[in-house]
Amino acid sequence: MKKTLRMAGAFALCAVMVPAVTSCGDDNDEPGNGGSAVVMDGTRLTSINNALIQYDSEGRVARFGSRSDYGEIDYRNGILHLSDDDEYGDMNVRFNGAGYISQLSQDWDYEDDGERWQGSGKATFSYDGDGHLVKVNISSSESYRDYEDGESGKYTEEYTVDLSWRNGNLMTITQRGEENEDGDRERWEEVYDLTYNLQENRYLQPTISQFESILDESEYTILACAGLFGIGSELLPSKIVESDDDGYTHTTNLTFNLNANGTIASERDNYNTYIYGYSDAPDTRAAAEFPKSKKAGLFRTHRNARR
């Protein structure tokens, strides 16, 4: 019986957000050179559905998520820690000159009940001159061995996301991947087309709906909304249509309510409402669990768990 390889949970990214493209491998990338949140009319984002975003004394995102399911950034050492990923270890994080996340990487060697998983993965993020995320490249590999029955296997994945912007608005997200499990190769493609009305996004805030089509887990989508994966669109989207190479299609309709100063107060899709909180609300209150994404993680299989 073939085992299904488990990819590292740390790359359960999601979510998930200088005219020449700034390469993620640029020499200006630094482990602890970014993380500063966007300030909007004297406020900054501190919660989404009571999942908290907390800041250090330099105004950088330090901790995000709920009490039981959270992430922390160690800027001095360039480390991103996720609380639900202890068996795989922490990730290395790098930032570009604009302060956006440019690279995440991880190696793991995990044993459990006579089984062992060894692997590595890297995700790179590229931006244009306006601060828009325009490309994500993800590669990962993992080997598996069961010492009791002698079974073993190997899994690799290459995964890209291309983002097309027009007039300051994100128009199309194209995801392409190739998976290889013990020589069984599979390719797939998904496309997300975005439609806008004339509702202004005054502070170019990244939104849940846009970035969860890019980043695969709620933790990373929260980071995107805090501004660590670039700026959002000039208008707020009204609809996202998903399609894939199997003929599947799905439409998500979106509505936004704004605060008096133009910041996003709430975002509603077909199933969920997301409430955005800002710095005038205390960030030490008890946190409710953030709704989980339907997708798998960055360094886990994508196609097998897409829906």
Side-chain angles (χ1 to χ4, degrees):
M1 175 181 175
K2 180 183 288 186
K3 301 286 186 178
T4 299
L5 301 180
R6 297 193 304 178
M7 304 310 289
F11 278 82
L13 183 43
C14 253
V16 257
M17 323 210 23
V18 206
V21 170
T22 300
S23 169
C24 295
D26 186 30
D27 291 339
N28 293 326
D29 291 2
E30 296 293 342
N33 197 34
S36 296
V38 178
V39 177
M40 301 159 286
D41 191 29
T43 69
R44 60 188 180 188
L45 186 68
T46 53
S47 66
I48 299 177
N49 278 19
N50 291 330
L52 303 184
I53 304 170
Q54 298 173 314
Y55 301 89
D56 65 15
S57 60
E58 298 181 37
R60 302 174 300 187
V61 176
R63 183 182 170 112
F64 53 96
S66 69
R67 290 188 182 277
S68 60
D69 190 7
Y70 62 88
E72 295 177 315
I73 302 176
D74 177 351
Y75 291 97
R76 178 183 297 274
N77 296 303
I79 297 295
L80 173 60
H81 169 73
L82 296 180
S83 62
D84 62 353
D85 211 42
D86 291 336
E87 66 268 32
Y88 289 103
D90 296 330
M91 279 186 291
N92 300 305
V93 57
R94 301 183 70 86
F95 300 86
N96 67 13
Y100 306 139
I101 291 176
S102 61
Q103 181 175 293
L104 295 167
S105 62
Q106 183 186 42
D107 299 300
W108 60 91
D109 188 344
Y110 174 64
E111 292 189 52
D112 181 35
D113 195 24
E115 299 175 308
R116 186 178 186 180
W117 292 265
Q118 294 174 288
S120 63
K122 182 170 72 172
T124 59
F125 305 84
S126 298
Y127 304 84
D128 66 16
D130 296 318
H132 301 124
L133 180 65
V134 294
K135 194 174 187 67
V136 182
N137 285 295
I138 301 167
S139 61
S140 61
S141 63
E142 184 178 62
S143 61
Y144 163 84
R145 184 171 182 82
D146 188 321
Y147 292 106
E148 182 176 343
D149 60 23
E151 292 187 8
S152 62
K154 185 175 182 179
Y155 175 90
T156 62
E157 181 181 35
E158 298 290 333
Y159 174 62
T160 63
V161 185
D162 292 293
L163 298 91
S164 175
W165 298 77
R166 186 171 70 243
N167 297 327
N169 295 306
L170 177 59
M171 304 304 297
T172 304
I173 303 166
T174 303
Q175 302 181 355
R176 297 182 180 91
E178 179 176 296
E179 302 169 9
N180 188 335
E181 185 169 353
D182 295 336
D184 184 9
R185 191 181 304 273
E186 183 178 12
R187 295 183 177 89
W188 57 271
E189 179 175 304
E190 287 183 347
V191 178
Y192 298 82
D193 293 306
L194 289 81
T195 301
Y196 296 85
N197 55 28
L198 297 180
Q199 190 172 18
E200 180 187 14
N201 186 8
R202 180 177 299 177
Y203 298 101
L204 306 180
Q205 290 181 253
T207 67
I208 292 288
S209 54
Q210 288 175 305
F211 273 85
E212 90 175 344
S213 300
I214 307 166
L215 309 174
D216 292 317
E217 282 273 336
S218 59
E219 292 93 339
Y220 296 93
T221 306
I222 294 172
L223 283 182
C225 290
L228 270 64
F229 288 98
I231 65 173
S233 296
E234 293 186 6
L235 300 174
L236 293 169
S238 59
K239 182 169 65 177
I240 301 177
V241 178
E242 175 191 359
S243 59
D244 69 13
D245 51 358
D246 290 330
Y248 169 83
T249 61
H250 177 73
T251 299
T252 300
N253 295 300
L254 304 165
T255 56
F256 293 85
N257 292 314
L258 303 180
N259 295 309
N261 65 358
T263 57
I264 297 173
S266 67
E267 175 180 357
R268 171 74 184 174
D269 61 22
N270 294 0
Y271 311 104
N272 302 298
T273 298
Y274 303 98
I275 306 300
Y276 290 58
Y278 297 88
S279 57
D280 56 349
D283 62 359
T284 56
R285 59 194 170 188
E289 295 293 335
F290 191 84
K292 285 293 185 181
S293 168
K294 302 180 183 67
K295 295 178 176 291
L298 272 191
F299 285 177
R300 298 175 185 154
T301 58
H302 288 265
R303 189 179 183 89
N304 293 342
R306 283 183 298 166
R307 295 192 291 275

